[in-house]
């Protein structure tokens, strides 16, 4: 590892993506309390952002009312940016999101981010329950983004005004796991975040497309790309591998269509999954973007992925069962930032 590339890694912001996991022996209230503890912890460590992802009808994820959680965390922290990674915009009227985030920005000025995705964040039945129709689907996402930008404009075209929201400078990010949002973010000159933590194979092509086609805008004069990674850190590689089994079981159950909360770690995953299931999970949880190990292993993994992607920022998610272990994992990453 050359010194120059390591300095580049040290100098880029590191952020947190939280799914507010509900553990097997817990409930949503506990998940929210643990999110507050984690947000306060990483703020002290110097992390840049704290984002929540919108998911629905998932027994082990409690971040469905994303805007409410953002306000809750912003109210319990002082300076860390708080936002969505992301709001699944086809699930909502653009006006509602403009009003919600206009309210958040008014309450917590210069701290709110609005990351947008075009997937439902759930299955088709749940998407229908959210929208009452599937007519306005992901293909209308670019139009919805335009509407949202207009609501935040100081001189909106629409006769309908977002109050609060109009005239507020709320950073809009586009999120993706394919090339669609990469193209749109480039076209609109917006920052782009790629879901490398579950779509590792498409990361570099999407980032290259984004950078090649980027058009400067009022928001950005040059591309700004963030990549997401899973990090599970502990004192030893063996302990980290043990803690990582909770995340592996979560992906396994998702692929098998089994509803479950986040499960406690197990000693032997080979007793849980078949060889074919193991291969399928590992395809999504690639070692490049699912970094499991001690401090030095995590250092090398983050640096290697930073070097491969030339990312401007890295956002880290850590699906770890115990809150003490989750806090400690971020402490290890925090040490890497401060060394």
């Amino acid at each position: 590892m050359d010194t120059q590339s390591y300095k580049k890694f040290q100098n880029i912001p590191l952020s947190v993506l939280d799914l507010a996991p509900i553990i097997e022996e817990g409930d949503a209230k506990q998940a929210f309390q643990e999110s507050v503890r984690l947000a306060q912890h990483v703020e002290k460590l110097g992390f840049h952002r704290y984002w929540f992802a919108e998911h629905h009808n998932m027994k082990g994820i409690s971040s469905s009312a994303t805007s409410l959680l953002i306000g809750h965390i912003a109210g319990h922290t002082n300076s860390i940016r708080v936002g969505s990674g992301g709001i699944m915009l086809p699930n909502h009227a653009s006006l509602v999101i403009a009003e919600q985030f206009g309210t958040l920005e008014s309450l917590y000025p210069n701290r709110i981010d609005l990351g947008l995705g075009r997937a439902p964040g759930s299955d088709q039945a749940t998407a229908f329950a959210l929208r009452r129709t599937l007519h306005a689907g992901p293909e209308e996402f670019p139009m919805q983004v335009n509407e949202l930008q207009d609501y935040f404009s100081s001189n909106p075209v629409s006769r309908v005004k977002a109050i609060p929201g109009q005239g507020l400078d709320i950073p809009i990010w586009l999120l993706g796991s394919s090339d669609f949002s990469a193209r749109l973010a480039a076209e609109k000159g917006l920052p782009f975040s790629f879901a490398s933590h579950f779509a590792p194979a498409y990361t570099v092509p999407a980032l290259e497309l984004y950078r090649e086609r980027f058009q400067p805008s009022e928001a950005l004069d040059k591309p700004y790309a963030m990549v997401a990674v899973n990090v599970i850190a502990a004192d030893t590689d063996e302990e980290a591998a043990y803690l990582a089994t909770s995340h592996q079981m979560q992906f396994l159950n998702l692929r098998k269509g089994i509803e479950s909360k986040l499960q406690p770690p197990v000693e032997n995953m080979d007793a849980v999954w078949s060889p074919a299931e193991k291969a399928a999970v590992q395809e999504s949880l690639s070692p490049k973007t699912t970094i499991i190990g001690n401090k030095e292993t995590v250092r090398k993994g983050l640096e290697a992925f930073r070097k491969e992607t030339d990312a401007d920022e890295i956002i880290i998610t850590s699906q770890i069962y115990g809150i003490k272990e989750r806090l400690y994992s971020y402490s290890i990453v925090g040490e890497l930032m401060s060394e």
Side-chain angles (χ1 to χ4, degrees):
M1 178 170 61
D2 64 89
T3 304
Q4 184 178 6
S5 65
Y6 178 56
K7 285 182 178 178
K8 285 180 70 178
F9 162 65
Q10 274 191 316
N11 291 334
I12 72 168
L14 297 183
S15 297
V16 176
L17 176 62
D18 186 7
L19 302 184
I22 303 175
I23 64 172
E24 179 61 29
E25 299 300 325
D27 56 19
K29 181 179 179 180
Q30 178 183 337
F32 300 149
Q33 291 170 338
E34 293 181 350
S35 288
V36 169
R37 287 184 63 185
L38 180 57
Q40 292 172 337
H41 180 65
V42 298
E43 181 176 57
K44 291 176 183 176
L45 292 172
F47 282 78
H48 187 48
R49 309 176 200 276
Y50 197 97
W51 281 7
F52 287 100
E54 178 186 342
H55 291 281
H56 300 278
N57 195 30
M58 294 187 179
K59 196 173 181 180
I61 296 176
S62 61
S63 53
S64 53
T66 316
S67 301
L68 292 178
L69 270 184
I70 290 169
H72 184 60
I73 294 301
H76 283 82
T77 52
N78 298 307
S79 58
I80 194 169
R81 296 194 66 87
V82 190
S84 58
I87 291 290
M88 301 297 106
L89 194 53
N91 293 340
H92 311 276
S94 299
L95 176 62
V96 172
I97 297 304
E99 291 171 341
Q100 289 178 357
F101 277 78
T103 300
L104 288 167
E105 175 65 19
S106 299
L107 288 169
Y108 308 103
N110 303 313
R111 292 184 59 201
I112 302 301
D113 297 325
L114 176 51
L116 302 172
R118 68 187 186 100
S122 189
D123 56 84
Q124 289 296 299
T126 307
F128 180 79
L130 286 164
R131 306 173 193 174
R132 307 312 304 167
T133 174
L134 295 182
H135 174 67
E139 65 278 0
E140 297 193 20
F141 180 66
M143 180 191 71
Q144 285 190 280
V145 176
N146 290 342
E147 289 177 349
L148 198 53
Q149 289 181 305
D150 186 59
Y151 286 131
F152 289 139
S153 170
S154 298
N155 298 294
V157 174
S158 174
R159 293 175 58 192
V160 179
K161 306 297 188 291
I163 302 171
Q166 183 179 341
L168 295 182
D169 183 17
I170 303 172
I172 293 178
W173 290 67
L174 294 190
L175 282 56
S177 57
S178 66
D179 63 355
F180 183 94
S181 290
R183 294 173 188 273
L184 186 61
E187 175 188 321
K188 298 184 73 61
L190 295 174
F192 177 57
S193 181
F194 193 81
S196 320
H197 60 308
F198 65 80
Y202 301 102
T203 303
V204 172
L207 293 179
E208 288 177 347
L209 182 66
Y210 169 63
R211 292 176 177 131
E212 288 170 2
R213 301 197 176 194
F214 183 84
Q215 298 294 318
S217 69
E218 290 185 9
L220 282 179
D221 59 359
K222 61 182 180 179
Y224 190 94
M226 177 163 64
V227 292
V229 296
N230 303 296
V231 173
I232 298 175
D235 286 333
T236 67
D237 287 348
E238 292 76 18
E239 182 182 359
Y242 169 69
L243 295 176
T245 60
S246 296
H247 191 197
Q248 291 163 350
M249 285 187 286
Q250 183 183 52
F251 257 74
L252 176 63
N253 287 336
L254 186 63
R255 283 184 169 271
K256 295 171 70 174
I258 297 174
E259 293 186 10
S260 70
K261 298 181 179 180
L262 187 64
Q263 298 297 301
V266 297
E267 294 290 347
N268 181 18
M269 275 299 294
D270 287 335
V272 178
W273 56 18
S274 68
E277 289 169 341
K278 178 179 179 179
V281 170
Q282 290 183 336
E283 183 179 353
S284 294
L285 302 181
S286 162
K288 283 186 178 182
T289 58
T290 299
I291 304 166
I292 302 166
N294 64 22
K295 183 177 176 180
E296 187 58 27
T297 301
V298 170
R299 183 204 305 274
K300 290 178 180 177
L302 285 173
E303 172 56 28
F305 196 58
R306 165 69 177 89
K307 200 168 185 180
E308 180 181 0
T309 61
D310 196 27
D312 299 292
E313 188 169 340
I314 296 174
I315 190 165
I316 294 169
T317 183
S318 301
Q319 291 293 85
I320 298 174
Y321 188 82
I323 184 60
K324 288 174 61 178
E325 290 80 5
R326 205 182 320 159
L327 294 171
Y328 188 56
S329 179
Y330 280 103
S331 293
I332 291 173
V333 179
E335 290 176 9
L336 295 177
M337 286 194 293
S338 62
E339 286 179 349

